[in-house]
Amino acid sequence: SSGINAEYGGKKAKQISAAYDEKHDAKSLQQLKHFVSKLPHMQAERKALEVQTTVAGLVKKRIDNKDFHHKLGIEQILREGIDVDKLNEDIEEMIYKEACLKKVLRLLCIQSIAADGLKPKLLEFYKREIVQSYGYHHLITFDRLEKCGLLVAQDKTPKKSYPILRSTLNLTVENVNEKEPNDISYTYSGYAPLTVRLVNWITQKSGLKYLADMVKHLPGPAFQDSQKLSATQDRLEYSDNHTLVYFLGGCTYAEVSALRFLAQHHPNNATFTIATTKLINGDSLLETLIEPGKDKEQGS
């Protein structure tokens, strides 16, 4: 949070200032040489602090925005699975006010995933309202979202995948300690990235067989294959605790942060190498799916 960043920045500034003040206490040539040898490091730390302060200011400006908190509040309600099978009046109001289309679609996708798909009548209602407000070319946008499985109609007998995964993998956590986090859920203010939860389970339980009941609730196929080492490779130093995590299609900075946190607190002292085809976020993902056109997609 911005308060934590401000606290850290204040402490760091005092440390740097105290380090520079050491020059006044240097009375011998040896002490002066020692101070001069530390100058490059202190200058680098001061520059890094200036960058961090600038970034923190930009972040604070963003999160202090009323619209940001409004959207975040809706996301938190949806991820808790509250009334996801009903019309969300906040999303409806955003459509009527012609809010940024990326924000609207992001919330609809979250609702769809949390509900295992939207009821056909509800999905058609959202489609009709968006097409009327933002343009008929967004029928193509809906088609793309459906093909990706992000915004779909609910089956007659939904599997309730998200509620099961949320409960079993403890995806939502209350009262997150952002100052001294003890769980990866701090990266999304109370939501633990599903991908990183799976990595945690697999690396602690030695494979997918312990996740058999959960894997069937995930989209797409799942398989496990063991690589056999040759006699030469067998003699080389090999660590079972080093894991390559590869994200096909892209991953977020929050997932990277969560994996780093997991490595620092892993009971088996695991280390992770992260690879991905692209670093993405919710907006950049939706930008690849939204059909461009001369409509009202303003906003940020």
Side-chain angles (χ1 to χ4, degrees):
S1 69
S2 58
I4 295 170
N5 283 324
E7 183 180 343
Y8 172 81
K11 288 182 180 179
K12 198 65 180 176
K14 288 180 180 179
Q15 291 173 1
I16 295 173
S17 178
Y20 272 98
D21 287 342
E22 288 181 9
K23 66 182 179 182
H24 301 301
D25 299 326
K27 297 179 181 179
S28 66
L29 182 61
Q30 185 177 1
Q31 289 174 327
L32 281 172
K33 285 182 176 180
H34 178 67
F35 174 78
V36 171
S37 68
K38 294 195 300 181
L39 269 177
H41 176 70
M42 289 189 294
Q43 289 170 342
E45 282 201 324
R46 174 178 279 181
K47 188 174 182 180
L49 181 61
E50 289 173 355
V51 172
Q52 181 186 340
T53 303
T54 301
V55 171
L58 294 172
V59 171
K60 187 177 187 301
K61 183 179 179 181
R62 178 69 180 270
I63 65 177
D64 283 349
N65 185 282
K66 183 180 178 181
D67 289 340
F68 175 85
H69 282 281
H70 180 242
K71 182 175 72 71
L72 182 62
I74 301 172
E75 288 182 3
Q76 290 174 334
I77 290 173
L78 294 174
R79 78 185 185 198
E80 293 291 335
I82 300 173
D83 292 335
V84 290
D85 59 336
K86 300 177 182 177
L87 171 67
N88 187 293
E89 294 180 356
D90 288 306
I91 298 178
E92 182 185 19
E93 183 180 359
M94 290 175 70
I95 296 172
Y96 291 157
K97 290 183 176 179
E98 296 176 346
C100 173
L101 182 59
K102 283 183 292 188
K103 292 180 180 178
V104 173
L105 291 178
R106 179 186 178 119
L107 293 172
L108 286 181
C109 289
I110 294 174
Q111 183 176 359
S112 176
I113 292 169
D116 248 2
L118 299 177
K119 291 181 178 179
K121 287 186 178 180
L122 179 58
L123 179 58
E124 285 305 313
F125 172 81
Y126 281 136
K127 280 184 179 181
R128 183 174 64 252
E129 298 304 312
I130 286 177
V131 165
Q132 290 178 355
S133 296
Y134 298 91
Y136 283 90
H137 57 286
H138 285 302
L139 289 171
I140 300 174
T141 301
F142 279 107
D143 183 60
R144 291 171 181 165
L145 291 169
E146 184 178 356
K147 287 179 179 177
C148 291
L150 293 174
L151 187 55
V152 298
Q154 191 178 86
D155 294 333
K156 291 183 178 179
T157 55
K159 296 186 296 182
K160 300 294 181 183
S161 296
Y162 176 74
I164 293 172
L165 291 169
R166 174 175 163 262
S167 174
T168 309
L169 293 175
N170 194 26
L171 295 181
T172 55
V173 180
E174 295 182 4
N175 302 319
V176 175
N177 187 340
E178 293 185 344
K179 189 173 183 180
E180 296 180 3
N182 55 11
D183 186 79
I184 60 172
S185 57
Y186 87 95
T187 55
Y188 280 106
S189 299
Y191 174 79
L194 172 61
T195 50
V196 185
R197 274 283 195 256
L198 289 173
V199 169
N200 189 22
W201 272 69
I202 291 170
T203 53
Q204 286 194 51
K205 304 293 185 179
S206 303
L208 286 172
K209 60 182 179 180
Y210 294 94
L211 289 170
D213 290 336
M214 283 176 276
V215 168
K216 65 184 180 183
H217 293 288
L218 299 174
F223 66 91
Q224 180 172 337
D225 188 28
S226 298
Q227 182 181 11
K228 294 182 179 179
L229 300 177
S230 66
T232 305
Q233 290 173 316
D234 231 359
R235 291 194 297 267
L236 297 174
E237 184 178 351
Y238 178 75
S239 172
D240 287 327
N241 291 338
H242 195 124
T243 303
L244 170 66
V245 182
Y246 202 109
F247 294 88
L248 287 172
C251 76
T252 65
Y253 284 106
E255 287 173 311
V256 173
S257 178
L259 280 169
R260 287 174 174 168
F261 179 87
L262 182 60
Q264 294 169 0
H265 298 82
H266 201 281
N268 299 333
N269 296 319
T271 56
F272 300 102
T273 298
I274 305 166
T276 182
T277 50
K278 191 174 184 179
L279 282 166
I280 62 172
N281 58 35
D283 284 349
S284 64
L285 174 61
L286 287 172
E287 283 167 4
T288 65
L289 301 172
I290 293 175
E291 177 68 13
K294 295 180 180 179
D295 52 24
K296 300 159 184 176
E297 295 175 16
Q298 75 281 1
S300 59

